[in-house]
Amino acid sequence: NVVYPGDAKHIVVGNPSRRPLIVFLPGTGTNPEDLSCILDAMSYEPGSGRRATIGLRYEFLNSNDGTRNARCATTIDTAACLKNQHEDAIYGGNQQPGLWQSVNPSDSISGRLEHLLNYLHKTFPTEGWSTYLTNDMKIRWDRIYFSGHSQGGAHTAYLARTLKLAGAAPISAPQDSCIGCPAGQ
């Protein structure tokens, strides 16, 4: 098992006025600073500077995707278990007690991203971070392009399936495996 280091830093690079914003979700046990070369490459726009790119730190499942798949296979509804894990990581909660740790909503993907965008807007009000927030300061999902690696890529794929995003590019993902499920699930 991997311990979630809740104090790891997000990485923010580039110009928020260049839409869409790119948010990268690292995989299990990986911090955004471990992927600074990927974030740098994602933000690069030839001839026009850097697009705003965030390497987001969030509370991930404390074991790899294969372990999660095996744990979900022991439940009555494997497909629902896999969905619940993504929702817990994205929004917070613990829909499958005993299979993984509870995720505090403030440490979830949406909780951390919303807090970070609000912080950036308040700290740098003229840079345009409010472009990625609604009038009530919630996330404007449709103006954000998500990418992620491994478990972060699986969450990216789930976000793309369930929300209107500016785009999505999972890397080495999703690795969800519905062990014992009927074909097509």
Side-chain angles (χ1 to χ4, degrees), residues 113-123 133 137-138:
L113 181 58
E114 187 173 295
H115 183 265
L116 179 59
L117 290 172
N118 276 285
Y119 168 81
L120 291 168
H121 169 62
K122 288 174 186 160
T123 306
L133 295 165
M137 306 311 278
K138 303 292 182 192

Side-chain angles (χ1 to χ4, degrees), residues 101-164:
Q101 78 280 5
S102 179
V103 177
N104 185 320
S106 66
D107 288 327
S108 69
I109 292 166
S110 63
R112 289 216 161 192
L113 181 58
E114 187 173 295
H115 183 265
L116 179 59
L117 290 172
N118 276 285
Y119 168 81
L120 291 168
H121 169 62
K122 288 174 186 160
T123 306
F124 308 102
T126 62
E127 289 189 3
W129 291 103
S130 62
T131 302
Y132 308 107
L133 295 165
T134 63
N135 290 337
D136 60 347
M137 306 311 278
K138 303 292 182 192
I139 299 168
R140 286 280 316 256
W141 298 98
D142 63 326
R143 293 188 177 177
I144 303 173
Y145 185 101
F146 278 85
S147 186
H149 175 256
S150 192
Q151 188 180 140
H155 298 319
T156 293
Y158 186 83
L159 283 165
R161 179 159 171 77
T162 59
L163 297 171
K164 182 182 177 195

Side-chain angles (χ1 to χ4, degrees), residues 4-185:
Y4 165 67
D7 60 349
K9 295 177 181 175
H10 308 298
I11 291 183
V12 181
V13 297
N15 183 342
S17 67
R18 300 191 187 284
R19 293 192 335 204
L21 168 65
I22 300 170
V23 174
F24 185 83
L25 305 175
T28 309
T30 307
N31 294 315
E33 62 264 17
D34 299 333
L35 303 166
S36 60
C37 291
I38 289 174
L39 297 172
D40 188 54
M42 292 176 98
S43 72
Y44 182 68
E45 278 188 89
S48 58
R50 303 268 178 212
R51 177 182 304 282
T53 303
I54 294 173
L56 189 73
R57 190 71 186 116
Y58 63 97
E59 188 167 353
F60 50 77
L61 177 64
N62 63 357
S63 56
N64 66 36
D65 292 331
T67 301
R68 185 262 335 266
N69 292 339
R71 288 177 183 171
C72 282
T74 67
T75 66
I76 294 172
D77 189 342
T78 304
C81 179
L82 294 169
K83 174 182 132 330
N84 291 342
Q85 191 271 320
H86 290 298
E87 290 185 355
D88 286 352
I90 294 167
Y91 304 110
N94 189 7
Q95 298 181 62
Q96 298 289 149
L99 295 187
W100 52 78
Q101 78 280 5
S102 179
V103 177
N104 185 320
S106 66
D107 288 327
S108 69
I109 292 166
S110 63
R112 289 216 161 192
L113 181 58
E114 187 173 295
H115 183 265
L116 179 59
L117 290 172
N118 276 285
Y119 168 81
L120 291 168
H121 169 62
K122 288 174 186 160
T123 306
F124 308 102
T126 62
E127 289 189 3
W129 291 103
S130 62
T131 302
Y132 308 107
L133 295 165
T134 63
N135 290 337
D136 60 347
M137 306 311 278
K138 303 292 182 192
I139 299 168
R140 286 280 316 256
W141 298 98
D142 63 326
R143 293 188 177 177
I144 303 173
Y145 185 101
F146 278 85
S147 186
H149 175 256
S150 192
Q151 188 180 140
H155 298 319
T156 293
Y158 186 83
L159 283 165
R161 179 159 171 77
T162 59
L163 297 171
K164 182 182 177 195
L165 303 175
I171 302 169
S172 189
Q175 297 175 8
D176 296 23
S177 181
C178 200
I179 301 166
C181 292
Q185 272 196 335

